[in-house]
Amino acid sequence: DTGVSQDPRHKITKRGQNVTFRCDPISEHNRLYWYRQTLGQGPEFLTYFQNEAQLEKSRLLSDRFSAERPKGSFSTLEIQRTEQGDSAMYLCASTKRGSSYNEQFFGPGTRLTVL
Amino acid sequence: AQRVTQPEKLLSVFKGAPVELKCNYSYSGSPELFWYVQYSRQRLQLLLRHISRESIKGFTADLNKGETSFHLKKPFAQEEDSAMYYCALSGESGANSKLTFGKGITLSVRP
């Protein structure tokens, strides 16, 4: 499967714990996005990278959230001191800058449950 | 600020009936508009984009800049069209390409 992959698919944690998610984009894609989706809502933009540079962060991304993309390949999203409000589906997407259209390819998501 | 509005949460139709999923947007500029679809137990995937003006699986969508709308239409619904549909917007090509999504609508096609 050469699509976007995410790991883990599900994560259950206790409030106050730290969690880290991983996203592996399609290999030739240089742009990588993180979105969060809660029940009954569409995905909401969190942050995006072009290669290894983090170019934009949403105000949704509090200081408990940090994302990295070392070497411009896979990316990690860490949430420190998780809160119940962090429970959501975290989606990763990738695309290739310079393509004729902005089609983002999505991963299956990581479902986070904070107890 | 960019915003996408999908006014309905659910549309239920019989097989063979026409379908129109509504989408309105707010953006100061020339946006790119998309429809994404999520079938049961599958990941979110692109259905169509306004810039290509194509028909995918019998669906079409026309960008109406005057009404700031991008409604998705299909003349004859099929059971396999049952899914969650999201309208999405991004800035001009080459600019920040983050997607802003609507809340989505569930399309249920009954036999």
Side-chain angles (χ1 to χ4, degrees), chain A residues 77-98:
Chain A
L77 178 68
E78 181 183 15
I79 309 175
Q80 297 182 325
R81 305 181 303 280
T82 52
E83 302 173 355
Q84 289 184 326
D86 297 331
S87 294
M89 177 74 86
Y90 290 84
L91 297 169
C92 176
S94 69
T95 190
K96 185 176 182 180
R97 184 177 187 273

Side-chain angles (χ1 to χ4, degrees), chain A residues 4 31 33 37 56 104 106, chain B residues 43 86 96-99:
Chain A
V4 178
R31 281 191 174 177
Y33 304 79
Q37 186 174 20
E56 184 173 344
Q104 295 188 16
F106 283 80
Chain B
R43 64 185 66 188
Y86 295 95
N96 180 353
S97 54
K98 68 181 180 185
L99 290 170

Side-chain angles (χ1 to χ4, degrees), chain A residues 37-109:
Chain A
Q37 186 174 20
T38 53
L39 198 61
Q41 303 293 321
E44 295 176 292
F45 170 77
L46 291 179
T47 188
Y48 93 100
F49 294 83
Q50 183 163 299
N51 301 312
E52 66 277 6
Q54 188 174 17
L55 297 188
E56 184 173 344
K57 294 191 292 186
S58 164
R59 57 182 170 79
L60 293 175
L61 214 64
S62 75
D63 55 6
R64 296 185 297 105
F65 288 69
S66 62
E68 295 182 341
R69 193 183 182 197
K71 304 178 183 178
S73 56
F74 71 92
S75 175
T76 58
L77 178 68
E78 181 183 15
I79 309 175
Q80 297 182 325
R81 305 181 303 280
T82 52
E83 302 173 355
Q84 289 184 326
D86 297 331
S87 294
M89 177 74 86
Y90 290 84
L91 297 169
C92 176
S94 69
T95 190
K96 185 176 182 180
R97 184 177 187 273
S99 60
S100 59
Y101 47 82
N102 178 26
E103 178 175 0
Q104 295 188 16
F105 294 82
F106 283 80

Side-chain angles (χ1 to χ4, degrees), chain B residues 8 11 13 18-22 71-74 105 107:
Chain B
E8 299 156 332
L11 179 62
V13 301
V19 166
E20 183 178 42
L21 306 182
K22 296 186 186 300
H71 303 327
L72 183 68
K73 300 177 183 179
K74 185 170 182 176
I105 180 170
L107 174 62

Side-chain angles (χ1 to χ4, degrees), chain B residues 11-21 57-59 72-79 81 107-111:
Chain B
L11 179 62
S12 183
V13 301
F14 286 106
K15 176 183 173 180
V19 166
E20 183 178 42
L21 306 182
K57 299 183 179 181
F59 285 98
L72 183 68
K73 300 177 183 179
K74 185 170 182 176
F76 307 104
Q78 303 299 314
E79 289 180 67
D81 296 329
L107 174 62
S108 173
V109 182
R110 293 169 286 171

